[in-house]
Amino acid sequence: MKMRISLIAKFTFSTSLILLVFMLLLDNINNKNFRKVMIGYAVSNAEEVANIINQSAYDAMMRNDKNSLYHIIGKIAESEDIAHIRLIDQKGQVVFSNLNAEIGSVIGKHADECIMCHNSESPDVPKLNSSRIITTKSGKEVLGFTKAIHNQPACIAASCHFHGKHDTVLGLLDISISLEMLRKKSREYRLDFFVLTCLLLLMIGTLVIVQTYFLVDIPVQRLVRQSTLVAAGDLESRVPVSSRDELGELSEAFNLMTNNLGNARKELEEWGASLELKVEERTREVKIIENQLFRSEKLASLGQLVAGIAHEINNPLTGILLFASIVSSDKRLDPALIADIDRIISETSRCADIVKRLLEFSRESVAHKESFSLNKKMEEVIALMYQHPNFQNINFIKVCAPYLPDVIADPAQIQQVLVNLFINASQAMPEGGDLKLSTRMSPDGGYVCIEIKDTGHGIPEENLNRIFDPFFTTKTDGTGLGLSISYGIVENNGGKLEVKSRVDEGTAFTLMLPVDDGTMPLTPRLPDNSNGK
Ligand code: ADP
């Protein structure tokens, strides 16, 4: 794993490095300049000493009083900074030196103190006044300063006539000044500079750390945290924008990106959810259509079979009924048999009724379609049912939509369906209850719907798919043909019949009939919405 180096550490390190290099360079330049200035100072010091010697020794020289001269020079040479002073005559012989061992020695023309003037055949005598830096055997630095002692008019005119008037330079005054003090000062100066540099580095480093921490590290850390949150799927939180600089702009851009990501995800989720709903809806529709198709096919094939059987049974049944009725009204009939004959008549009538309904079910009855108001038809059926003993304890609730167009169907057949649904509802509520009847348009506007909703015992889930099958009944005296016939009628009229039910809560049948397009109402067409009872 790669080692993590913080931004602050990198920034501080690089800044400190640059500063250090810069300081070292500055130290070098400073040191050179300092040395130059100090050497200049030492040269002027040496020149000063030479002048002092010149002036103090003038009288002694005029008097050719060498003892006094040497004494004066010796005294001056006792100064701490002066390494040694010597006098050299025209022949290069050391005539005086504060180092006794040197006295009498001869210095060649190529010695350091002479080469400055004697490096050419004709030395430039007037310029003879120069300095040099010498490193002694013990490693100490010394500034050598040589000053020419020029012949003076007073010298020529002196009683001793010691120097001829053509002698321009009488000798050399060679002063060596120790540069140890200078080196010491330089060392001190460099140490001070080093300490100052360290302090400066410390200060600048601290400043850089603090500044970087507040200006860079904190905003960057916030961005890193935010990126982690976004990566984990949190698209709600935002980075606080606290500055107007590049990092502030970056934070703003990041927030914008997070926002856009959030919107995109929301859109995707909504799209996914709506897709799921659409798929569910389509699946439901397909299932309903499949069921309808299955039921239609079943009804069609069953219809043919039933038609054959019903037709064959109908004639014998009519015969039985006829002869039973004749026997029943015959005076010769033993009164003890009257009840049995009546029983034969009632059961045969029941069979005849079943056969009649079977024939109704199987017959391809042609629907005589016409335009009529479903609201009105509902009112008519309520009025019809109102008299029926089954509805004595039932409370009718009507909720009729205004502006309903007429439907196009066979009104007599639709009435038969409604009566059947009403009767079934009443049978589901033997103790009484509410029968809510509401009309409305279908969402697609192609049908007018009527919902017949009771508060009866409901239909168990497992029976819901079977109630439209012929002969399916849960009643002891039921035929199981009512709903299958109704279903066939509704289909034949281009409509739909749907059911929803919950056990112990109730059942709702929805009858949907196609709209007669030319009858879209402009004003409300409401029947009386009050309770039918
Ligand atoms: P039948 O009424 O002769 O039984 P139907 O075809 O009319 O025949 O009804 C079939 C079955 O559907 C009924 O036996 C009953 O179980 C169920 N059913 C129909 N309508 C309702 C309803 N409103 N409430 C509860 N069950 C019903």
Side-chain angles (χ1 to χ4, degrees):
M1 202 178 78
K2 268 190 180 174
M3 198 178 72
R4 184 180 177 275
I5 301 172
S6 76
L7 207 65
I8 290 188
K10 282 183 195 165
F11 203 56
T12 312
F13 179 74
S14 57
T15 314
S16 304
L17 201 76
I18 292 168
L19 267 170
L20 193 71
V21 171
F22 176 73
M23 286 308 217
L24 284 175
L25 214 76
L26 201 71
D27 174 55
N28 203 293
I29 295 168
N30 251 354
N31 193 42
K32 275 185 182 155
N33 284 341
F34 182 77
R35 193 175 157 80
K36 217 169 166 181
V37 169
M38 289 309 265
I39 286 174
Y41 175 73
V43 170
S44 68
N45 223 10
E47 207 164 356
E48 191 74 16
V49 171
N51 287 339
I52 289 169
I53 291 172
N54 251 357
Q55 282 162 15
S56 351
Y58 182 79
D59 284 341
M61 281 199 285
M62 284 299 114
R63 279 185 274 113
N64 201 21
D65 182 356
K66 286 183 182 166
N67 283 339
S68 295
L69 179 67
Y70 298 160
H71 181 73
I72 290 164
I73 295 173
K75 275 284 168 204
I76 291 171
E78 280 174 14
S79 168
E80 201 187 339
D81 288 343
I82 296 173
H84 76 272
I85 302 178
R86 54 187 176 177
L87 277 174
I88 302 161
D89 67 8
Q90 289 163 313
K91 289 170 190 151
Q93 190 176 26
V94 178
V95 290
F96 172 76
S97 172
N98 58 332
L99 304 174
N100 288 335
E102 255 190 339
I103 297 172
S105 61
V106 177
I107 294 167
K109 277 183 183 176
H110 298 294
D112 287 337
E113 48 274 59
C114 305
I115 199 155
M116 292 171 293
C117 301
H118 291 285
N119 59 354
S120 65
E121 280 310 303
S122 55
D124 186 3
V125 176
K127 281 187 186 170
L128 187 65
N129 189 359
S130 192
S131 62
R132 64 205 177 275
I133 304 280
I134 308 152
T135 308
T136 62
K137 280 176 191 157
S138 56
K140 288 181 179 171
E141 267 190 334
V142 173
L143 173 84
F145 180 81
T146 310
K147 186 171 173 73
I149 303 168
H150 292 276
N151 202 0
Q152 306 277 324
C155 278
I156 301 161
S159 53
C160 55
H161 284 268
F162 189 67
H163 300 292
K165 68 176 174 183
H166 297 297
D167 294 331
T168 41
V169 176
L170 303 180
L172 293 175
L173 175 63
D174 186 45
I175 303 167
S176 296
I177 292 192
S178 167
L179 292 178
E180 271 315 289
M181 187 60 91
L182 172 77
R183 280 178 76 171
K184 199 175 150 207
K185 286 257 181 255
S186 168
R187 265 200 306 276
E188 281 172 9
Y189 173 78
R190 291 191 82 172
L191 191 73
D192 286 352
F193 193 81
F194 176 75
V195 172
L196 196 77
T197 303
C198 289
L199 277 174
L200 216 71
L201 278 178
L202 203 75
M203 266 170 57
I204 291 172
T206 314
L207 236 125
V208 166
I209 288 172
V210 172
Q211 272 191 347
T212 319
Y213 179 72
F214 284 106
L215 297 178
V216 181
D217 206 50
I218 289 181
V220 168
Q221 283 298 331
R222 277 193 207 131
L223 275 167
V224 170
R225 259 198 310 277
Q226 184 63 19
S227 316
T228 317
L229 284 176
V230 169
D234 178 2
L235 300 178
E236 297 304 318
S237 54
R238 298 283 180 272
V239 200
V241 181
S242 52
S243 59
R244 293 249 131 253
D245 52 18
E246 290 85 341
L247 277 171
E249 283 170 13
L250 185 66
S251 303
E252 268 176 3
F254 197 88
N255 282 343
L256 190 71
M257 185 194 77
T258 313
N259 194 40
N260 289 344
L261 271 176
N263 288 342
R265 186 168 75 180
K266 218 175 276 168
E267 273 173 26
L268 214 67
E269 278 170 0
E270 280 170 9
W271 190 75
S274 75
L275 196 72
E276 231 168 70
L277 278 178
K278 272 182 189 156
V279 169
E280 266 175 30
E281 205 176 302
R282 281 268 171 268
T283 314
R284 218 173 17 248
E285 279 173 16
V286 168
K287 210 164 178 184
I288 288 171
I289 291 169
E290 263 180 9
N291 279 341
Q292 284 173 347
L293 209 68
F294 177 70
R295 205 167 287 137
S296 299
E297 282 170 1
K298 206 156 81 176
L299 285 181
S301 53
L302 210 73
Q304 284 176 347
L305 181 75
V306 163
I309 297 171
H311 189 73
E312 289 304 314
I313 292 176
N314 202 28
N315 290 339
L317 270 184
T318 316
I320 293 170
L321 204 60
L322 180 69
F323 284 106
S325 302
I326 292 168
V327 171
S328 161
S329 52
D330 196 329
K331 299 271 187 287
R332 292 169 296 167
L333 183 68
D334 185 345
L337 295 173
I338 290 176
D340 295 338
I341 292 293
D342 283 348
R343 183 80 191 266
I344 291 171
I345 291 171
S346 78
E347 289 300 311
T348 313
S349 300
R350 201 166 110 77
C351 284
D353 188 48
I354 292 172
V355 169
K356 194 181 130 216
R357 299 194 74 182
L358 280 174
L359 281 170
E360 257 175 42
F361 164 71
S362 61
R363 202 181 298 138
E364 279 285 308
S365 50
V366 183
H368 301 289
K369 293 185 188 177
E370 56 184 79
S371 186
F372 65 92
S373 157
L374 198 58
N375 273 338
K376 270 190 193 151
K377 182 53 73 187
M378 183 184 77
E379 284 295 317
E380 284 169 25
V381 176
I382 291 173
L384 203 68
M385 292 292 106
Y386 187 69
Q387 309 299 331
H388 199 284
N390 278 18
F391 292 87
Q392 292 313 305
N393 294 324
I394 288 173
N395 187 29
F396 285 90
I397 301 167
K398 292 180 282 175
V399 183
C400 299
Y403 300 106
L404 280 183
D406 285 349
V407 294
I408 182 106
D410 183 329
Q413 287 186 345
I414 297 307
Q415 180 164 324
Q416 188 190 339
V417 171
L418 285 174
V419 166
N420 190 32
L421 295 174
F422 275 45
I423 297 278
N424 274 348
S426 70
Q427 286 172 345
M429 301 184 285
E431 307 298 325
D434 291 339
L435 186 62
K436 189 176 170 189
L437 308 155
S438 45
T439 52
R440 59 178 163 82
M441 285 297 290
S442 66
D444 63 2
Y447 297 88
V448 176
C449 313
I450 175 167
E451 188 185 66
I452 298 122
K453 189 176 181 184
D454 62 56
T455 53
H457 52 65
I459 304 170
E461 178 98 40
E462 66 272 18
N463 287 348
L464 266 179
N465 269 338
R466 302 172 63 198
I467 56 169
F468 293 107
D469 290 349
F471 307 114
F472 175 80
T473 181
T474 55
K475 298 168 191 166
T476 43
D477 57 346
T479 59
L481 287 170
L483 283 180
S484 55
I485 291 172
S486 298
Y487 194 88
I489 290 173
V490 174
E491 256 204 342
N492 218 18
N493 280 274
K496 294 175 188 175
L497 184 58
E498 289 172 7
V499 62
K500 277 181 193 161
S501 184
R502 272 178 185 271
V503 173
D504 294 337
E505 284 183 21
T507 305
F509 280 94
T510 306
L511 168 63
M512 299 163 79
L513 292 172
V515 165
D516 181 5
D517 291 334
T519 62
M520 285 304 215
L522 296 173
T523 51
R525 302 160 71 183
L526 273 177
D528 181 13
N529 259 7
S530 60
N531 196 327
K533 292 227 152 176

